[in-house]
């Protein structure tokens, strides 16, 4: 009677070589991904990613919207931190309006810097960091858009719909792989 079972398909040398190759690939992936993040815009109501972009740690991006009262543009510039959080760098606007600063304000343990540059008011922050940016996308006036250094613009109303609650976050590269794994558990509602 023949024994049934799995026969090894690789010899020990080929198995060791494959193991070393996989280990090397893992180290290379970890090294490469350490200086990068994936910036995601997540539609929190439908639990789906509506925008995803590879971004270097330390790279800045801006969110531009139209102020609902002044009808003038407001630009907030953010930076992705090493621990994959989002730091606000500065805010820029050309007309005072509701909820816009008029002088330096308390920012953590320090104060913001308030100055005028090229005819615009600029508020500089001292490393105020958020785990994510939670936002209700404007429906009529705001036109929230993300702007990147290479000229890419992501229109949040077009991507998620006006009035949608979105979360902007910087995740590790491995999070993209985790999203497509077939055995990934879906969050409970």
């Amino acid at each position: 009677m023949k024994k049934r079972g799995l026969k090894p398909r690789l010899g020990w040398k080929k198995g060791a070589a494959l193991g070393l190759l996989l280990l090397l690939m893992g180290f290379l992936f970890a090294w490469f991904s350490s200086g990068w993040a994936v910036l995601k815009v997540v539609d929190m109501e439908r639990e789906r990613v509506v925008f995803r972009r590879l971004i270097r740690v330390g790279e800045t991006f801006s969110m531009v919207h139209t102020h609902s009262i002044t009808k003038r543009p407001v630009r907030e510039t953010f930076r992705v931190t090493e621990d994959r959080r989002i730091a606000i760098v500065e805010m820029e606007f050309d007309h005072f309006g509701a909820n816009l600063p008029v002088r330096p304000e308390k920012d953590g343990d320090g104060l913001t810097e308030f100055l005028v540059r090229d005819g615009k008011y600029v508020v500089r922050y001292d490393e105020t960091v958020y785990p994510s940016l939670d936002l209700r996308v404007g429906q009529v006036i705001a036109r929230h858009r993300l702007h990147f250094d290479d000229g890419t613009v992501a229109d949040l109303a077009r991507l998620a719909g006006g009035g949608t609650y979105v979360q902007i976050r910087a995740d590790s590269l491995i999070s993209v792989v985790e999203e497509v794994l077939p055995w990934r558990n879906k969050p409970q509602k």
Side-chain angles (χ1 to χ4, degrees):
M1 184 171 182
K2 272 187 166 177
K3 282 190 177 181
R4 290 190 157 184
L6 296 175
K7 289 185 177 181
R9 295 185 180 190
L10 296 176
W12 74 270
K13 289 180 182 176
K14 288 182 182 176
L18 180 60
L20 277 171
L21 179 64
L22 291 174
L23 189 62
L24 179 63
M25 287 174 55
F27 281 124
L28 286 174
F29 182 78
W31 175 75
F32 172 75
S33 66
S34 66
W36 293 88
V38 178
L39 191 73
K40 296 178 186 177
V41 177
V42 181
D43 175 337
M44 298 302 286
E45 296 164 1
R46 293 177 188 85
E47 297 179 2
R48 66 184 177 99
V49 177
V50 297
F51 178 80
R52 172 184 301 118
R53 177 193 171 90
L54 192 63
I55 190 166
R56 281 191 179 279
V57 167
E59 186 176 336
T60 60
F61 66 95
S62 297
M63 180 164 40
V64 178
H65 69 278
T66 303
H67 191 276
S68 61
I69 305 298
T70 67
K71 309 291 191 281
R72 303 291 302 149
V74 175
R75 174 182 296 270
E76 296 171 284
T77 302
F78 300 93
R79 181 180 56 77
V80 175
T81 65
E82 285 187 29
D83 59 353
R84 309 305 189 273
R85 296 189 306 159
I86 300 174
I88 184 165
V89 176
E90 68 179 29
M91 179 191 308
E92 180 183 277
F93 52 94
D94 64 1
H95 195 279
F96 292 111
N99 293 322
L100 293 175
V102 295
R103 64 181 177 281
E105 297 179 333
K106 188 161 178 57
D107 179 32
D109 294 332
L111 287 175
T112 60
E113 183 182 358
F114 191 89
L115 53 115
V116 178
R117 180 178 66 205
D118 298 328
K120 296 181 180 178
Y121 304 104
V122 177
V123 180
R124 287 196 182 147
Y125 295 84
D126 186 29
E127 293 302 307
T128 300
V129 180
Y130 306 99
S132 62
L133 303 175
D134 293 348
L135 172 75
R136 181 78 55 187
V137 177
Q139 297 184 55
V140 181
I141 297 169
R143 292 192 58 235
H144 290 98
R145 298 164 317 278
L146 297 179
H147 291 251
F148 298 92
D149 292 340
D150 67 356
T152 301
V153 176
D155 183 329
L156 299 184
R158 188 182 58 73
L159 293 167
T164 302
Y165 165 45
V166 298
Q167 189 175 77
I168 302 166
R169 59 183 180 230
D171 287 337
S172 66
L173 291 183
I174 198 70
S175 69
V176 175
V177 175
E178 290 171 341
E179 287 176 15
V180 297
L181 293 176
W183 57 84
R184 182 175 80 103
N185 292 329
K186 285 281 190 187
Q188 298 294 321
K189 287 187 180 181

